[in-house]
Amino acid sequence: MESNLGEYRISTDQSELDLNVIHHYLSEESYWATGIPFGTLKKAIDHSLNFGVYYRNKQIGFARLVTDYATFAYLCDVFILEEHRGKGLSKWLMKTINEHPGLQSLRRWVLLTRDAHGLYTQYNWSDIKTPDRYMERHFPDVYKNSQS
């Protein structure tokens, strides 16, 4: 799948991803994946539906969905590099993800965010209606001990 907006482009072609750009952002600049080992990220990307955002064919953004393509998707690792923010690219990325033809029959989508609620609510995301039903296993320091 591909979408264009001027000199910007979104593609789900995994072969176009610049893993070094993605790894640098996630491991060095994100609050949620600080220190993620390159091998761990590669494995995550290999098993996800990935959306690369490009400016003149250079990677400037990313998002990935962990999904079974039938009932469920977890949206994660969403970012646009600082120098390209403020141009509506996050909104365009969310619109593109929401309209992906292979995801239209999903019953449930989830995500975690600390500070982007305003973006996601524009695309019909809401607070969890029954948080008492959700449970998690969370290991926030796992990358500190990982060798992969």
Side-chain angles (χ1 to χ4, degrees):
M1 182 184 142
E2 189 168 305
S3 180
N4 293 283
L5 182 68
E7 294 187 82
Y8 291 93
R9 184 172 56 86
I10 295 174
S11 174
T12 57
D13 183 346
Q14 190 164 318
S15 70
E16 293 187 62
L17 296 173
D18 185 333
L19 298 182
N20 291 319
V21 169
I22 298 166
H23 181 254
H24 175 79
Y25 183 86
L26 292 177
S27 68
E28 303 293 328
E29 298 182 41
S30 78
Y31 65 83
W32 63 89
T34 301
I36 188 170
F38 189 88
T40 300
L41 176 63
K42 171 100 171 66
K43 184 187 286 187
I45 286 172
D46 286 346
H47 296 281
S48 299
L49 172 59
N50 304 286
F51 294 80
V53 184
Y54 306 92
Y55 176 70
R56 298 181 181 164
N57 294 321
K58 181 179 179 205
Q59 179 114 35
I60 58 92
F62 179 73
R64 69 183 182 93
L65 278 173
V66 181
T67 183
D68 61 9
Y69 294 93
T71 64
F72 179 81
Y74 167 55
L75 177 63
C76 53
D77 295 338
V78 179
F79 72 86
I80 300 292
L81 294 180
E82 183 76 36
E83 58 268 26
H84 294 275
R85 293 182 189 161
K87 300 176 183 181
L89 299 175
S90 293
K91 292 179 182 182
W92 176 46
L93 177 57
M94 287 306 305
K95 181 178 185 301
T96 301
I97 292 168
N98 287 348
E99 293 176 355
H100 187 286
L103 305 172
Q104 297 310 301
S105 65
L106 299 181
R107 182 173 44 110
R108 186 176 315 269
W109 298 56
V110 296
L111 66 79
L112 298 168
T113 185
R114 180 174 72 187
D115 54 8
H117 297 78
L119 169 66
Y120 298 116
T121 57
Q122 295 175 58
Y123 296 92
N124 298 316
W125 291 84
S126 62
D127 291 337
I128 292 175
K129 302 289 187 250
T130 54
D132 55 314
R133 294 183 185 181
Y134 284 78
M135 297 179 73
E136 70 177 353
R137 291 182 70 211
H138 185 222
F139 306 98
D141 296 327
V142 71
Y143 300 144
K144 290 180 182 175
N145 304 319
S146 179
Q147 300 301 316
S148 58

